[in-house]
Amino acid sequence: MTRQGDIEGDRSARAKATIVALVVALFLVALFSLASGASDASAWDVLTGWTAAPEAGDAALTARDRVIVYDIRLPRVVLGMLIGAALAVSGAVMQGLFRNPLADPGLVGISAGASLGAISMIVLGSTVLAPVMATLGIYALPLAAFSTALATTMLLYRVATRRGQTSIATMLLAGIALAAMASAFSGVLVYLADDRQLRDLTFWGLGSLAGATWTKILAAGPIIALALVAAPFLARGLNGLALGEAAAHHLGIPVQRFKNVAIVTVAAATGASVAVSGGIGFVGIVVPHLLRLLIGPDHRYLLPASALLGAALLLLADAVSRTIVAPAELPIGIVTAAVGAPFFLWILLRRRGVLDL
């Protein structure tokens, strides 16, 4: 008879092998993303430009190619990895916190709340919120998105949780209501925007990495990085919560303080990501669910694996968005929604027992 320890050991070994494979996959996808585009710089040229001596790098990449690769594509790749990892980890943390695989920042209104903060800063940053913009500088936009995402997350948790139990139905309905409220306020701000702001907001709302710059990375990157660094320390608490709040308390986990830290982590990662990329949906629900089927629910492995797979998938989606309608560019949010929406329906049908897959 197979012992429980043997099963856990096998799953642990599979999880570690999966993480190693995801590291390799992320490197290959990043290299592909750097090498794909209008410039004829090959993947080998890009790689030798990194690793070879300066003279060899100059020979491999022309001056024009170096500008395209290092000043346009590389910030886009770095930002894509940060945002993909942030959205996937946020989804994994939320699913562990609410103990339901349907939880996702985009589905329960957190992304809409973050969008409200970002839109407020974009539209009112030169008028009503000018002092805030002057004080915070490049950090004003991600911090505004983080603040409204945090407020939305805390309100959602308060509404959906009663006597220590979180109702998934209440959570989804409350998320729809909060998203509608945020969209209404955002609509008022869009109505007040000028023509230039309207063009920016329309493209931003669909989700895109087209405007990636080192300045944006400097603004949102530290917030996202702090959230990603904090996430692995939530693994033990999330594993404990899977047994119930009472069991987690008996395991020595300070449940309420842990929930607060988890909520702030999700709000920081989601808010900063939405501020610089706009609405990119379904990454947070697709990635953790796929990995949970593959390596199990242990958050010690699920969280780092989600970060790696989320980064790789978003870079891959970005490469598709740049090439599928070339020379134009499709907003990346459309690509992720086209893939993620059917997957979400499959999860719903599977949980209802309609499909046995």
Coordinates of all heavy atoms in Angstrom, one line a residue, residues 13-94:
A13 N 8.6 16.3 -5.2 CA 9.6 16.2 -6.3 C 9.1 16.7 -7.6 O 9.8 17.4 -8.4 CB 10.0 14.7 -6.4
R14 N 7.8 16.5 -7.9 CA 7.2 17.0 -9.1 C 7.2 18.5 -9.1 O 7.4 19.2 -10.2 CB 5.8 16.4 -9.3 CG 5.2 16.9 -10.6 CD 3.7 16.6 -10.6 NE 3.5 15.1 -10.6 CZ 2.2 14.6 -10.6 NH1 1.2 15.3 -10.6 NH2 2.1 13.3 -10.7
A15 N 6.8 19.1 -8.0 CA 6.7 20.5 -7.9 C 8.1 21.2 -8.1 O 8.2 22.2 -8.8 CB 6.2 20.9 -6.5
K16 N 9.1 20.6 -7.5 CA 10.5 21.2 -7.7 C 10.9 21.1 -9.1 O 11.5 22.0 -9.7 CB 11.5 20.5 -6.8 CG 11.2 20.7 -5.3 CD 12.2 19.9 -4.4 CE 11.9 20.2 -2.9 NZ 12.8 19.3 -2.0
A17 N 10.7 19.9 -9.8 CA 11.0 19.7 -11.2 C 10.2 20.7 -12.1 O 10.8 21.3 -13.0 CB 10.7 18.3 -11.6
T18 N 9.0 21.0 -11.7 CA 8.2 21.9 -12.5 C 8.7 23.3 -12.3 O 8.8 24.1 -13.3 CB 6.7 21.9 -11.9 OG1 6.2 20.6 -12.1 CG2 5.8 22.9 -12.7
I19 N 9.1 23.7 -11.1 CA 9.7 25.1 -11.0 C 11.0 25.2 -11.8 O 11.2 26.3 -12.4 CB 10.0 25.3 -9.5 CG1 8.7 25.4 -8.7 CG2 10.8 26.6 -9.3 CD1 8.8 25.6 -7.2
V20 N 11.8 24.2 -11.8 CA 13.0 24.3 -12.6 C 12.7 24.4 -14.1 O 13.3 25.2 -14.8 CB 13.9 23.0 -12.4 CG1 15.1 23.0 -13.4 CG2 14.4 23.0 -11.0
A21 N 11.7 23.6 -14.5 CA 11.3 23.7 -15.9 C 10.7 25.1 -16.3 O 10.9 25.6 -17.4 CB 10.2 22.6 -16.2
L22 N 10.0 25.7 -15.3 CA 9.4 27.0 -15.6 C 10.5 28.1 -15.6 O 10.3 29.0 -16.4 CB 8.4 27.3 -14.5 CG 7.1 26.6 -14.5 CD1 6.2 26.9 -13.3 CD2 6.3 26.9 -15.8
V23 N 11.6 27.9 -14.9 CA 12.7 28.9 -15.0 C 13.3 28.8 -16.4 O 13.5 29.9 -17.0 CB 13.7 28.6 -13.9 CG1 15.0 29.4 -14.1 CG2 13.2 28.8 -12.5
V24 N 13.5 27.6 -16.9 CA 14.0 27.5 -18.2 C 13.1 28.1 -19.3 O 13.4 28.8 -20.2 CB 14.3 26.0 -18.5 CG1 14.8 25.8 -20.0 CG2 15.4 25.5 -17.5
A25 N 11.8 27.7 -19.1 CA 10.8 28.2 -20.0 C 10.7 29.7 -20.0 O 10.6 30.4 -21.1 CB 9.4 27.6 -19.7
L26 N 10.8 30.3 -18.8 CA 10.7 31.8 -18.8 C 11.9 32.4 -19.5 O 11.7 33.5 -20.2 CB 10.6 32.2 -17.3 CG 10.6 33.8 -17.0 CD1 9.5 34.4 -17.7 CD2 10.6 34.0 -15.5
F27 N 13.1 31.9 -19.3 CA 14.3 32.4 -20.0 C 14.1 32.3 -21.5 O 14.4 33.3 -22.2 CB 15.5 31.6 -19.5 CG 16.7 32.0 -20.3 CD1 17.4 33.1 -20.0 CD2 17.2 31.2 -21.3 CE1 18.6 33.5 -20.7 CE2 18.3 31.5 -22.0 CZ 19.0 32.7 -21.7
L28 N 13.6 31.2 -22.0 CA 13.4 31.0 -23.4 C 12.3 32.0 -24.0 O 12.5 32.6 -25.0 CB 13.0 29.6 -23.8 CG 14.1 28.5 -23.5 CD1 13.6 27.1 -23.7 CD2 15.4 28.8 -24.3
V29 N 11.2 32.1 -23.2 CA 10.2 33.0 -23.7 C 10.7 34.5 -23.7 O 10.4 35.3 -24.6 CB 8.9 32.9 -22.8 CG1 7.9 33.9 -23.1 CG2 8.3 31.5 -23.0
A30 N 11.4 34.8 -22.6 CA 12.0 36.2 -22.6 C 12.9 36.5 -23.7 O 12.9 37.6 -24.3 CB 12.7 36.4 -21.2
L31 N 13.7 35.5 -24.1 CA 14.7 35.7 -25.2 C 13.9 35.8 -26.5 O 14.2 36.6 -27.4 CB 15.6 34.5 -25.2 CG 16.8 34.6 -26.2 CD1 17.7 35.8 -25.8 CD2 17.6 33.3 -26.2
F32 N 12.8 35.0 -26.6 CA 12.0 35.0 -27.8 C 11.3 36.4 -27.9 O 11.2 37.0 -29.0 CB 11.0 33.9 -27.8 CG 9.9 34.0 -28.9 CD1 10.2 33.7 -30.2 CD2 8.6 34.5 -28.5 CE1 9.2 33.8 -31.2 CE2 7.6 34.6 -29.5 CZ 7.9 34.3 -30.8
S33 N 10.8 36.9 -26.8 CA 10.2 38.2 -26.8 C 11.2 39.3 -27.2 O 10.8 40.3 -27.9 CB 9.5 38.5 -25.4 OG 8.8 39.7 -25.4
L34 N 12.4 39.2 -26.7 CA 13.4 40.2 -27.0 C 13.8 40.2 -28.5 O 14.1 41.2 -29.1 CB 14.7 40.0 -26.2 CG 14.7 40.6 -24.8 CD1 16.0 40.1 -24.1 CD2 14.7 42.1 -24.8
A35 N 13.7 39.0 -29.1 CA 14.2 38.8 -30.5 C 13.1 39.0 -31.5 O 13.4 39.0 -32.7 CB 14.9 37.5 -30.6
S36 N 11.8 39.0 -31.1 CA 10.7 39.1 -32.1 C 10.3 40.5 -32.2 O 10.2 41.3 -31.2 CB 9.6 38.2 -31.6 OG 9.1 38.7 -30.3
G37 N 10.0 40.9 -33.5 CA 9.6 42.3 -33.8 C 10.0 42.7 -35.1 O 10.5 41.9 -36.0
A38 N 9.9 44.0 -35.4 CA 10.3 44.6 -36.7 C 11.8 44.5 -36.9 O 12.2 44.3 -38.1 CB 9.8 46.0 -36.8
S39 N 12.6 44.6 -35.9 CA 14.0 44.5 -36.1 C 14.4 43.1 -36.5 O 13.8 42.1 -36.0 CB 14.7 44.9 -34.8 OG 16.1 44.7 -34.9
D40 N 15.5 42.9 -37.3 CA 15.9 41.6 -37.7 C 17.0 41.0 -36.8 O 17.6 40.0 -37.1 CB 16.5 41.7 -39.1 CG 17.6 42.7 -39.2 OD1 18.0 43.3 -38.2 OD2 18.2 42.8 -40.4
A41 N 17.1 41.5 -35.6 CA 18.0 41.0 -34.6 C 17.5 39.6 -34.2 O 16.4 39.4 -33.7 CB 18.1 41.9 -33.4
S42 N 18.4 38.6 -34.3 CA 18.0 37.2 -34.0 C 18.2 37.0 -32.5 O 18.8 37.7 -31.8 CB 18.8 36.2 -34.8 OG 20.2 36.3 -34.3
A43 N 17.6 35.8 -32.0 CA 17.8 35.5 -30.6 C 19.2 35.3 -30.3 O 19.7 35.6 -29.2 CB 16.9 34.2 -30.4
W44 N 20.0 34.7 -31.2 CA 21.4 34.5 -31.0 C 22.2 35.8 -30.9 O 23.0 35.9 -30.0 CB 22.0 33.6 -32.1 CG 23.5 33.4 -31.9 CD1 24.5 33.9 -32.7 CD2 24.1 32.6 -30.9 NE1 25.7 33.5 -32.2 CE2 25.5 32.7 -31.1 CE3 23.7 31.8 -29.9 CZ2 26.4 32.0 -30.4 CZ3 24.6 31.1 -29.1 CH2 25.9 31.2 -29.3
D45 N 21.8 36.8 -31.7 CA 22.4 38.1 -31.6 C 22.2 38.7 -30.3 O 23.0 39.3 -29.7 CB 21.9 39.0 -32.8 CG 22.4 38.5 -34.1 OD1 23.4 37.8 -34.2 OD2 21.7 38.9 -35.1
V46 N 20.9 38.6 -29.8 CA 20.6 39.2 -28.5 C 21.3 38.5 -27.4 O 21.9 39.2 -26.5 CB 19.0 39.1 -28.3 CG1 18.7 39.6 -26.9 CG2 18.3 39.9 -29.3
L47 N 21.4 37.2 -27.5 CA 22.1 36.5 -26.4 C 23.6 36.8 -26.4 O 24.2 37.0 -25.4 CB 21.9 35.0 -26.6 CG 22.5 34.1 -25.5 CD1 21.8 34.4 -24.2 CD2 22.2 32.6 -25.8
T48 N 24.2 36.8 -27.6 CA 25.7 37.2 -27.6 C 25.9 38.6 -27.3 O 27.0 39.0 -26.7 CB 26.2 36.9 -29.1 OG1 25.4 37.6 -30.0 CG2 26.2 35.4 -29.4
G49 N 24.9 39.5 -27.5 CA 25.0 40.9 -27.1 C 25.1 41.0 -25.6 O 25.6 42.0 -25.1
W50 N 24.5 40.0 -24.9 CA 24.5 40.0 -23.4 C 25.8 39.5 -22.9 O 26.4 40.0 -22.0 CB 23.4 39.2 -22.9 CG 22.1 39.9 -22.8 CD1 21.8 41.2 -23.0 CD2 20.8 39.3 -22.5 NE1 20.5 41.5 -22.9 CE2 19.8 40.3 -22.5 CE3 20.4 38.0 -22.1 CZ2 18.5 40.1 -22.2 CZ3 19.1 37.8 -21.9 CH2 18.1 38.8 -21.9
T51 N 26.2 38.3 -23.5 CA 27.3 37.5 -22.9 C 28.7 37.8 -23.4 O 29.6 37.5 -22.7 CB 26.9 36.0 -23.0 OG1 26.8 35.7 -24.4 CG2 25.6 35.7 -22.3
A52 N 28.8 38.2 -24.6 CA 30.1 38.4 -25.3 C 30.7 39.7 -24.8 O 30.2 40.5 -24.1 CB 29.9 38.3 -26.8
A53 N 32.0 39.8 -25.2 CA 32.7 41.0 -25.0 C 32.0 42.2 -25.7 O 31.3 42.0 -26.6 CB 34.2 40.9 -25.5
P54 N 32.3 43.4 -25.2 CA 31.6 44.6 -25.8 C 31.8 44.7 -27.3 O 30.9 45.0 -28.1 CB 32.3 45.8 -25.1 CG 32.8 45.2 -23.8 CD 33.1 43.8 -24.1
E55 N 33.1 44.3 -27.8 CA 33.3 44.4 -29.3 C 32.4 43.4 -30.0 O 31.9 43.7 -31.1 CB 34.8 44.1 -29.6 CG 35.7 45.1 -29.0 CD 36.0 44.9 -27.5 OE1 35.6 43.9 -27.0 OE2 36.6 45.8 -26.9
A56 N 32.3 42.2 -29.4 CA 31.5 41.2 -30.1 C 30.0 41.6 -30.0 O 29.3 41.3 -31.0 CB 31.7 39.8 -29.4
G57 N 29.6 42.2 -28.9 CA 28.2 42.6 -28.8 C 27.9 43.7 -29.9 O 26.9 43.7 -30.5
D58 N 28.8 44.6 -30.1 CA 28.6 45.6 -31.1 C 28.5 45.0 -32.5 O 27.8 45.5 -33.3 CB 29.8 46.6 -31.1 CG 29.8 47.5 -29.8 OD1 28.7 47.5 -29.2 OD2 30.8 48.1 -29.5
A59 N 29.3 43.9 -32.7 CA 29.2 43.3 -34.0 C 27.9 42.6 -34.2 O 27.4 42.5 -35.3 CB 30.4 42.3 -34.2
A60 N 27.4 42.0 -33.1 CA 26.2 41.2 -33.2 C 24.9 42.1 -33.4 O 24.0 41.8 -34.2 CB 26.0 40.3 -32.0
L61 N 24.9 43.2 -32.7 CA 23.8 44.1 -32.8 C 24.2 45.5 -33.3 O 25.2 46.1 -32.8 CB 23.2 44.3 -31.4 CG 22.4 43.1 -30.8 CD1 22.0 43.4 -29.4 CD2 21.3 42.7 -31.6
T62 N 23.5 46.0 -34.3 CA 23.9 47.3 -34.8 C 23.4 48.3 -33.8 O 22.6 48.0 -32.9 CB 23.2 47.5 -36.2 OG1 21.7 47.5 -36.0 CG2 23.6 46.4 -37.2
A63 N 23.7 49.6 -34.1 CA 23.3 50.7 -33.1 C 21.8 50.8 -33.1 O 21.2 50.9 -32.0 CB 23.9 52.0 -33.6
R64 N 21.1 50.6 -34.3 CA 19.7 50.7 -34.3 C 19.1 49.5 -33.5 O 18.1 49.7 -32.8 CB 19.2 50.6 -35.8 CG 17.7 50.7 -35.9 CD 17.3 50.6 -37.4 NE 17.7 49.3 -37.9 CZ 16.9 48.2 -38.0 NH1 15.7 48.3 -37.4 NH2 17.3 47.1 -38.5
D65 N 19.6 48.3 -33.7 CA 19.1 47.1 -33.0 C 19.3 47.3 -31.5 O 18.4 46.8 -30.7 CB 19.8 45.9 -33.5 CG 19.4 45.5 -34.9 OD1 18.3 45.9 -35.3 OD2 20.1 44.7 -35.6
R66 N 20.4 47.8 -31.1 CA 20.7 48.0 -29.6 C 19.6 48.9 -29.0 O 19.1 48.7 -27.9 CB 22.1 48.5 -29.4 CG 23.2 47.5 -29.6 CD 24.4 47.9 -28.9 NE 24.9 49.3 -29.3 CZ 25.6 49.5 -30.4 NH1 26.0 48.5 -31.2 NH2 26.0 50.7 -30.7
V67 N 19.3 50.0 -29.7 CA 18.2 50.9 -29.2 C 16.9 50.1 -29.1 O 16.2 50.2 -28.1 CB 18.1 52.1 -30.1 CG1 16.9 53.0 -29.7 CG2 19.3 53.0 -30.1
I68 N 16.6 49.4 -30.2 CA 15.3 48.6 -30.2 C 15.2 47.6 -29.1 O 14.2 47.5 -28.4 CB 15.1 48.0 -31.6 CG1 14.8 49.1 -32.6 CG2 13.9 47.0 -31.5 CD1 14.7 48.5 -34.0
V69 N 16.3 46.9 -28.9 CA 16.3 45.7 -28.0 C 16.4 46.2 -26.6 O 15.6 45.8 -25.7 CB 17.5 44.8 -28.3 CG1 17.7 43.7 -27.2 CG2 17.3 44.1 -29.6
Y70 N 17.4 47.1 -26.3 CA 17.6 47.5 -24.9 C 16.8 48.7 -24.4 O 16.5 48.8 -23.2 CB 19.1 47.9 -24.7 CG 20.0 46.7 -25.0 CD1 21.0 46.8 -26.0 CD2 19.9 45.5 -24.4 CE1 21.9 45.8 -26.2 CE2 20.7 44.4 -24.6 CZ 21.7 44.6 -25.6 OH 22.5 43.5 -25.9
D71 N 16.3 49.5 -25.3 CA 15.5 50.7 -24.8 C 14.0 50.5 -25.1 O 13.2 51.3 -24.5 CB 16.0 52.0 -25.5 CG 17.4 52.4 -25.2 OD1 17.8 51.9 -24.1 OD2 18.0 53.1 -26.0
I72 N 13.6 49.6 -25.9 CA 12.2 49.4 -26.2 C 11.7 48.0 -25.7 O 10.8 47.9 -25.0 CB 11.9 49.6 -27.7 CG1 12.2 51.0 -28.1 CG2 10.4 49.3 -28.0 CD1 12.0 51.3 -29.6
R73 N 12.4 47.0 -26.2 CA 11.9 45.6 -25.9 C 12.3 45.2 -24.5 O 11.5 44.5 -23.8 CB 12.5 44.6 -26.9 CG 12.0 44.8 -28.3 CD 12.6 43.7 -29.2 NE 12.3 43.9 -30.6 CZ 12.9 43.2 -31.6 NH1 13.7 42.3 -31.3 NH2 12.6 43.5 -32.9
L74 N 13.5 45.5 -24.0 CA 13.9 45.0 -22.7 C 13.0 45.6 -21.6 O 12.6 44.8 -20.7 CB 15.4 45.3 -22.5 CG 16.0 44.7 -21.2 CD1 15.8 43.2 -21.2 CD2 17.4 45.1 -21.1
P75 N 12.7 46.9 -21.6 CA 11.8 47.4 -20.6 C 10.4 46.7 -20.7 O 9.8 46.4 -19.6 CB 11.6 48.9 -20.9 CG 12.9 49.2 -21.6 CD 13.2 48.0 -22.4
R76 N 10.0 46.4 -21.9 CA 8.7 45.7 -22.1 C 8.8 44.3 -21.5 O 7.8 43.8 -20.9 CB 8.4 45.7 -23.6 CG 7.0 45.1 -23.9 CD 6.6 45.4 -25.3 NE 5.3 45.0 -25.6 CZ 4.5 45.6 -26.5 NH1 5.0 46.7 -27.2 NH2 3.3 45.2 -26.8
V77 N 9.9 43.6 -21.7 CA 10.0 42.2 -21.2 C 10.1 42.2 -19.6 O 9.4 41.4 -19.0 CB 11.3 41.6 -21.8 CG1 11.6 40.3 -21.0 CG2 11.1 41.3 -23.2
V78 N 10.8 43.2 -19.1 CA 11.0 43.3 -17.6 C 9.6 43.6 -17.0 O 9.2 43.0 -16.0 CB 12.0 44.3 -17.2 CG1 12.0 44.5 -15.7 CG2 13.4 43.9 -17.7
L79 N 8.9 44.6 -17.6 CA 7.6 45.0 -17.0 C 6.6 43.8 -17.2 O 5.8 43.6 -16.3 CB 7.1 46.2 -17.7 CG 5.9 46.9 -17.1 CD1 6.2 47.4 -15.7 CD2 5.4 48.0 -18.0
G80 N 6.7 43.1 -18.3 CA 5.7 42.0 -18.5 C 6.0 40.9 -17.5 O 5.0 40.3 -17.0
M81 N 7.2 40.6 -17.2 CA 7.5 39.6 -16.2 C 7.0 40.0 -14.8 O 6.4 39.2 -14.1 CB 9.0 39.3 -16.2 CG 9.5 38.5 -17.4 SD 11.2 37.8 -17.2 CE 12.1 39.4 -17.1
L82 N 7.2 41.2 -14.5 CA 6.8 41.7 -13.2 C 5.3 41.7 -13.1 O 4.7 41.2 -12.1 CB 7.3 43.2 -12.9 CG 8.7 43.4 -12.6 CD1 9.1 44.9 -12.6 CD2 9.1 42.7 -11.3
I83 N 4.6 42.1 -14.1 CA 3.1 42.2 -14.0 C 2.5 40.8 -14.1 O 1.6 40.4 -13.3 CB 2.6 43.0 -15.2 CG1 2.9 44.5 -14.9 CG2 1.0 42.9 -15.3 CD1 2.6 45.4 -16.1
G84 N 3.0 39.9 -15.0 CA 2.6 38.5 -15.0 C 2.7 37.8 -13.7 O 1.8 37.1 -13.3
A85 N 3.9 38.0 -13.1 CA 4.1 37.3 -11.8 C 3.2 37.9 -10.8 O 2.7 37.2 -9.9 CB 5.6 37.5 -11.4
A86 N 3.0 39.2 -10.8 CA 2.2 39.9 -9.7 C 0.8 39.4 -9.8 O 0.1 39.1 -8.8 CB 2.3 41.4 -9.9
L87 N 0.2 39.4 -11.1 CA -1.2 39.0 -11.2 C -1.4 37.5 -10.9 O -2.4 37.2 -10.2 CB -1.6 39.2 -12.7 CG -1.7 40.7 -13.1 CD1 -2.0 40.8 -14.6 CD2 -2.7 41.5 -12.3
A88 N -0.5 36.7 -11.3 CA -0.6 35.2 -10.9 C -0.5 35.0 -9.5 O -1.3 34.2 -8.9 CB 0.4 34.4 -11.7
V89 N 0.5 35.6 -8.8 CA 0.6 35.4 -7.4 C -0.5 36.0 -6.6 O -1.0 35.4 -5.6 CB 2.0 36.0 -6.9 CG1 2.0 36.1 -5.4 CG2 3.2 35.2 -7.4
S90 N -1.1 37.1 -7.1 CA -2.2 37.7 -6.4 C -3.4 36.8 -6.5 O -4.2 36.6 -5.5 CB -2.6 39.1 -7.1 OG -1.6 40.0 -6.9
G91 N -3.6 36.1 -7.7 CA -4.7 35.2 -7.8 C -4.5 34.0 -6.9 O -5.4 33.5 -6.2
A92 N -3.3 33.5 -6.8 CA -3.0 32.3 -5.9 C -3.3 32.7 -4.4 O -3.8 31.9 -3.7 CB -1.6 31.8 -6.1
V93 N -2.8 33.9 -4.0 CA -3.0 34.3 -2.6 C -4.5 34.5 -2.3 O -5.0 34.1 -1.3 CB -2.3 35.6 -2.3 CG1 -2.6 36.2 -1.0 CG2 -0.8 35.4 -2.4
M94 N -5.2 35.1 -3.3 CA -6.7 35.3 -3.0 C -7.4 34.0 -3.0 O -8.3 33.8 -2.2 CB -7.2 36.2 -4.2 CG -7.0 37.7 -4.0 SD -8.2 38.6 -4.9 CE -9.7 38.3 -4.0

